[in-house]
Amino acid sequence: MGPPGSRYKEAHFRMKKKDTSTSKKAKAAHEPRKIKPHRWKRRLLVKVGLVLLVVVALWVVYLDALVRDKFEGKKWSLPAQVFARPLEIYEGRGINPELLEYELKLLNYQLTKVPERQGTYSRQDSQFLIHTRGYDFPDAPQKSLALQFSVTQDRVTALTINGQQDVSALVRLEPYLIGGIYPAQKEDRLLVRLDQVPSSLVSMLLATEDRNFYTHFGIAPLSILRALVANLQAGKAVQGGSTLTQQLVKNFYLTQERSIQRKATEAVMSLLLDAHYEKDEILETYLNEVYLGQAGQREIHGFGMASQFYFAQPLASLELHQSALLVAMVKGASWYNPRRFPERALKRRNLVLDLLAKDGVVSDQAAQAAKAKDLGVTPKPSFSINRFPAFFELVQRQLAQEYQTKDLQTDGLRIFTTLDPQIQHAAEDSLIATLNASKKSKAADLQGSVVVTMAESGDVVALVGGKDPRFDGFNRALDAVRPIGSLIKPVIFLEALRHPEKYALASLLDDEAFFLTFENGETWRPQNYDKKSHGKVPLHEALARSLNLATARLGIELGVPNIIELLHDLGLEKEISPYPSMLLGATNHSPMDMARLYQVFAAGGFRVPLHAVRLVSTHEGAALSRYPFEVRQMVESTSIYLINKALVEVMQEGTGKGVQRWLPESLVVAGKTGTTNDGRDSWFAGFSGDYLGVVWIGKDDNSATGLTGSSGALLVWGRMMGMLPQRPYEATEPPGITQIRVGVADADGELNCEHPRVLPAIEPLASGLPLCDQQRSGSWLQRLFN
């Protein structure tokens, strides 16, 4: 033991030491705890990793939703396809061999010595051999057939089908694709199902683009690595590692941007697509999505549309060498364009065939036979955008009454129209030839339009909107509203003949000068074209010679409001001012309006709506809208019979007789010329037993043309009708009609019955008729007892 002092110091020291330790703990409790640097970094990385994981997860969820939404929804905006009528061939059908060959060429049928393949034909004088293509019409599919027939006097004779004669058979060729109603992105495709695609095409596609398509899970890492090595060795991109699934994702969902981010997105979306959907569904979508060409501003997508675009054939009917060419173009549709770079395309196609033979899909012999064939593409695309713009506009206007523009641009509807390409061609050529041949006016300034319909049904079979039929601009057939001149006269004479107690074809009209003075002091003085008066003239002759004075007097006697009412009944919807000048055609209407008006004459007094659309179906072929034949009688059969007889006389003896130079003698036609003041407008409307045609010629600035209806529009109509096989106009005499013999007045107004004329008339007869052979007015019963 030490001294007391030392013990005290020791104890004090221990206490002090203890207090120091306690104060340090207390101080530490109030100071922030220091974390070692490596622990802080590790925790930060964990947090960042968790955030990135969440971001990636959200990104994948977003991509998954994007993949599902588009793939399970409406994949594409499909343009509506607008077709002409299908060409029907049957025993006895009227056909012009030159126009038939024109349509075959329009459909891209190839002229060969022996037409063994679909889409080929041969011609030896009037004998045709045609190997048709199949086509899925909405009502029934038409198989590919081998036709042989002759054209004798513009009629199909000796028709055989696949070597067998069948006089009752009717064969339809595929309809010409006029154009489409396209969405904003201008993509065109024709959807096909996987079972509609030739198996050889699928095998070629997989052999060249993705051999392991059915075994990988959307991406092929080994292929990507192999392509990376090859590209590094070559110093440039020489090989791709993308699977078909990746190609589909790039084209279907993404842009063509080249970046790591886009490539990563493509890979993830490919994995998701493969995880969600069957391989066949992915492959089918690829077959409809892949880009295979360009037609102006319109992109050709999918093998179905490419088959039509390059071969004018359905995909299912392609031969081995044709399928190989389409597969070859997958690598670069522009680079291997067979129309621009045929040698390059041929080399690539043959490589595809070699790969197919190497994989044992086809024999070496089949591959060599396919390689020996040429590319087989049509010289031009099988269709262009809206080849017939005037008619196409009419179709769009009629569709707009029932369908929204969006539906027409995106739902892939198939629209079957009434257009007859042969008649359209005849109308275009006739208008251009007449305008170019005009010597009374500068052809460069003249314009014109043509409307042709079926006389009985109202089908619009041809429509020309101007002298440049390919120009998609002002449509004169629909929108050129001009004075109609003498085209109104048959309506006035029809109104008179509807009152048989007062008027008949033989009734004498007064063709003397007169004038009317109106309340404002203005005077109206009509005059004839020859500036002369002709005294008493039979009604039928006044129409045949298109006499203005007789017509105006008759119209005033009948009453202008009554004439206007009849015009509305016959189909003119536009408001017409009730001035006497309208009796001589001072009322403005379009060629389409005149077609609507004269359709009633051509249809024997029945009003038939003019229409350009027959059927609208889905792209699968289900019918959506049909447009059945509609008819309503507007004029009594007796009255229309008489006026049409007078219109036949116009063409045989009157202002329309010049047409006889173009038509065969056996073709009876009816019609009326029309000319407006100073020859500003040249009109003609006429019909046969099959067709009604309306022609207008004039200038857009409304200046004089120097043409009359006879020297202008009639020539177009005559040229056109002379090219078309058709039936003559024949009207069945209705009950209530009798034949009368009338005399001709001489210069002194005396009745001359030496050479009487036989005319039809409605019983009981009107009074005051210049009858011969003791015939008098009244009923047959009255005449019997008189």
Side-chain angles (χ1 to χ4, degrees):
M1 294 181 63
S6 62
R7 287 196 303 270
Y8 170 79
K9 290 179 179 179
E10 183 179 351
H12 179 73
F13 176 78
R14 285 196 301 267
M15 289 177 62
K16 191 173 182 180
K17 188 176 182 180
K18 184 177 179 180
D19 291 344
T20 303
S21 175
T22 302
S23 64
K24 286 182 178 180
K25 289 181 180 181
K27 185 177 181 181
H30 295 290
E31 292 181 357
R33 187 177 182 183
K34 294 182 179 180
I35 302 174
K36 294 181 179 180
H38 67 278
R39 290 182 179 179
W40 179 83
K41 290 180 180 180
R42 186 166 57 245
R43 292 181 182 182
L44 180 61
L45 288 174
V46 170
K47 290 181 180 180
V48 171
L50 289 174
V51 171
L52 288 176
L53 185 62
V54 171
V55 170
V56 170
L58 291 175
W59 179 58
V60 172
V61 170
Y62 166 73
L63 294 180
D64 185 72
L66 186 64
V67 167
R68 287 170 174 261
D69 181 65
K70 189 169 183 179
F71 205 84
E72 295 176 3
K74 191 174 183 178
K75 292 187 177 76
W76 301 283
S77 293
L78 301 177
Q81 294 181 306
V82 182
F83 297 93
R85 65 92 187 95
L87 173 61
E88 297 179 343
I89 297 178
Y90 52 87
E91 189 77 20
R93 186 200 196 281
I95 203 163
N96 179 322
E98 305 307 322
L99 291 178
L100 169 61
E101 191 161 19
Y102 162 79
E103 185 165 0
L104 290 174
K105 291 178 180 178
L106 191 67
L107 291 168
N108 274 305
Y109 275 67
Q110 303 300 303
L111 179 63
T112 62
K113 291 184 178 180
V114 182
E116 297 177 339
R117 295 187 295 108
Q118 295 182 32
T120 58
Y121 78 99
S122 67
R123 179 184 179 184
Q124 186 66 36
D125 296 327
S126 62
Q127 188 177 62
F128 286 83
L129 284 80
I130 304 175
H131 196 146
T132 70
R133 306 183 184 107
Y135 189 81
D136 288 331
F137 289 97
D139 54 352
Q142 176 73 68
K143 295 181 179 179
S144 173
L145 300 170
L147 308 182
Q148 182 173 346
F149 59 89
S150 296
V151 179
T152 306
Q153 295 181 342
D154 287 343
R155 297 286 167 183
V156 173
T157 60
L159 174 63
T160 64
I161 301 173
N162 292 339
Q164 301 294 320
Q165 190 167 9
D166 188 349
V167 296
S168 63
L170 184 151
V171 178
R172 292 180 292 182
L173 272 65
E174 71 275 20
Y176 177 70
L177 180 58
I178 301 171
I181 303 175
Y182 295 97
Q185 61 266 38
K186 299 289 186 182
E187 292 184 359
D188 202 1
R189 55 174 50 81
L190 183 63
L191 296 186
V192 294
R193 299 188 308 272
L194 187 58
D195 59 11
Q196 295 174 316
V197 182
S199 58
S200 59
L201 189 150
V202 175
S203 299
M204 281 185 273
L205 180 65
L206 297 182
T208 57
E209 297 295 323
D210 193 351
R211 292 176 178 273
N212 300 316
F213 174 74
Y214 279 100
T215 57
H216 64 60
F217 44 87
I219 62 174
L222 292 178
S223 297
I224 296 174
L225 182 61
R226 188 165 50 248
L228 180 61
V229 172
N231 293 338
L232 289 174
Q233 290 176 344
K236 60 180 180 179
V238 296
Q239 183 175 336
S242 296
T243 64
L244 281 184
T245 311
Q246 287 177 273
Q247 293 179 40
L248 175 60
V249 167
K250 180 180 68 175
N251 296 327
F252 197 52
Y253 295 99
L254 305 176
T255 67
Q256 300 300 315
E257 175 193 0
R258 293 177 176 270
S259 66
I260 296 176
Q261 180 183 353
R262 206 273 298 156
K263 200 67 180 176
T265 302
E266 175 189 302
V268 174
M269 294 181 76
S270 298
L271 292 169
L272 292 169
L273 192 65
D274 194 87
H276 285 305
Y277 304 103
E278 297 292 334
K279 290 287 188 179
D280 283 352
E281 190 174 0
I282 296 172
L283 179 58
E284 182 177 284
T285 305
Y286 179 90
L287 292 168
N288 286 300
E289 171 61 26
V290 62
Y291 172 78
L292 288 170
Q294 193 81 23
Q297 295 181 342
R298 182 166 47 91
E299 297 179 359
I300 304 301
H301 285 263
F303 284 91
M305 181 55 69
S307 178
Q308 292 287 350
F309 185 72
Y310 292 109
F311 306 112
Q313 292 181 219
L315 184 61
S317 65
L318 293 189
E319 298 181 26
L320 182 63
H321 69 290
Q322 295 170 315
S323 296
L325 176 60
L326 295 185
V327 171
M329 295 175 65
V330 170
K331 190 173 182 64
S334 299
W335 182 254
Y336 294 107
N337 185 327
R339 293 193 178 101
R340 295 186 61 192
F341 310 111
E343 294 182 1
R344 190 183 296 167
L346 183 65
K347 184 178 179 181
R348 175 67 182 172
R349 184 204 69 178
N350 291 344
L351 174 62
V352 171
L353 289 168
D354 288 338
L355 287 174
L356 203 62
K358 181 180 179 181
D359 288 354
V361 178
V362 299
S363 65
D364 290 336
Q365 183 179 3
Q368 291 303 318
K371 289 170 65 176
K373 294 184 178 182
D374 59 22
L375 292 174
V377 299
T378 58
K380 295 180 180 180
S382 63
F383 56 90
S384 60
I385 296 179
N386 307 343
R387 179 181 177 84
F388 307 114
F391 182 86
F392 196 85
E393 184 176 356
L394 175 62
V395 170
Q396 288 183 299
R397 292 188 188 187
Q398 294 193 0
L399 289 172
Q401 299 174 13
E402 188 173 348
Y403 293 90
Q404 298 291 327
T405 300
K406 182 181 178 181
D407 297 332
L408 296 172
Q409 292 178 339
T410 63
D411 287 352
L413 302 180
R414 293 201 297 169
I415 299 159
F416 296 90
T417 74
T418 58
L419 179 77
D420 187 318
Q422 296 184 29
I423 301 176
Q424 178 73 23
H425 180 64
E428 292 174 358
D429 275 11
S430 300
L431 178 64
I432 294 170
T434 302
L435 295 182
N436 289 340
S438 173
K439 296 180 180 179
K440 290 189 176 182
S441 185
K442 294 181 179 179
D445 297 328
L446 285 177
Q447 275 292 353
S449 62
V450 184
V451 181
V452 186
T453 70
M454 296 299 293
E456 295 180 350
S457 67
D459 289 358
V460 180
V461 293
L463 195 80
V464 185
K467 67 179 179 181
D468 181 1
R470 304 292 166 260
F471 177 65
D472 189 3
F474 182 52
N475 191 338
R476 294 166 186 83
L478 302 181
D479 299 324
V481 179
R482 305 294 286 260
I484 62 175
S486 295
L487 288 195
I488 199 173
K489 289 177 180 175
V491 179
I492 299 170
F493 285 78
L494 173 60
E495 176 64 20
L497 294 171
R498 297 179 72 187
H499 302 279
E501 72 284 357
K502 294 182 61 177
Y503 299 100
L505 291 178
S507 296
L508 296 177
L509 302 180
D510 190 2
D511 189 63
E512 294 291 347
F514 72 98
F515 67 89
L516 295 177
T517 302
F518 304 110
E519 293 181 356
N520 61 2
E522 293 183 359
T523 301
W524 182 56
R525 295 178 182 271
Q527 56 183 352
N528 288 324
Y529 183 76
D530 62 3
K531 307 296 192 295
K532 298 178 181 179
S533 300
H534 302 280
K536 296 290 184 180
V537 181
L539 184 148
H540 66 91
E541 184 180 330
L543 180 60
R545 296 169 62 183
S546 198
L547 299 178
N548 290 339
L549 294 174
T551 302
R553 284 180 174 274
L554 178 61
I556 292 171
E557 186 174 337
L558 293 168
V560 171
N562 293 328
I563 304 300
I564 293 176
E565 182 179 357
L566 180 57
L567 285 168
H568 289 156
D569 288 343
L570 298 181
L572 290 189
E573 299 175 351
K574 184 181 177 182
E575 195 67 29
I576 300 173
S577 300
Y579 298 117
S581 58
M582 62 82 57
L583 297 170
L584 298 181
T587 176
N588 297 344
H589 300 280
S590 69
M592 192 67 177
D593 290 334
M594 290 298 94
R596 193 175 293 111
L597 176 69
Y598 273 79
Q599 190 74 37
V600 180
F601 293 89
F606 291 90
R607 183 171 170 179
V608 182
L610 302 187
H611 57 276
V613 180
R614 285 181 175 172
L615 172 70
V616 178
S617 76
T618 65
H619 66 270
E620 295 93 352
L624 295 177
S625 301
R626 295 182 184 273
Y627 300 88
F629 180 68
E630 297 179 5
V631 63
R632 184 157 57 105
Q633 185 170 5
M634 303 304 300
V635 182
E636 306 83 1
S637 60
T638 51
S639 302
I640 202 71
Y641 178 81
L642 294 184
I643 193 62
N644 283 350
K645 280 289 185 180
L647 291 175
V648 170
E649 183 181 337
V650 170
M651 305 304 292
Q652 294 177 341
E653 304 175 25
T655 57
K657 64 181 180 182
V659 79
Q660 295 172 8
R661 61 185 283 202
W662 305 104
L663 306 181
E665 289 186 17
S666 60
L667 184 59
V668 178
V669 295
K672 184 69 187 75
T673 56
T675 309
T676 61
N677 292 342
D678 301 323
R680 289 186 173 90
D681 302 278
S682 171
W683 286 94
F684 183 78
F687 52 91
S688 66
D690 289 325
Y691 305 115
L692 161 70
V694 174
V695 179
W696 169 82
I697 293 177
K699 294 186 178 182
D700 289 339
D701 63 4
N702 199 31
S703 60
T705 66
L707 298 173
T708 65
S710 298
S711 63
L714 178 66
L715 303 186
V716 177
W717 190 90
R719 277 191 171 104
M720 176 185 68
M721 296 293 272
M723 298 170 66
L724 307 177
Q726 56 196 297
R727 297 173 300 154
Y729 172 74
E730 293 178 341
T732 302
E733 185 178 294
I737 294 292
T738 188
Q739 301 296 321
I740 61 175
R741 299 171 73 245
V742 298
V744 180
D746 58 21
D748 298 326
E750 295 295 326
L751 185 63
N752 185 345
C753 284
E754 185 176 349
H755 299 289
R757 182 163 191 154
V758 177
L759 293 173
I762 300 173
E763 295 188 304
L765 299 180
S767 59
L769 300 182
L771 302 175
C772 296
D773 295 339
Q774 309 302 316
Q775 282 188 311
R776 293 183 299 276
S777 301
S779 68
W780 67 270
L781 188 62
Q782 291 172 321
R783 297 197 304 273
L784 181 64
F785 291 99
N786 286 339

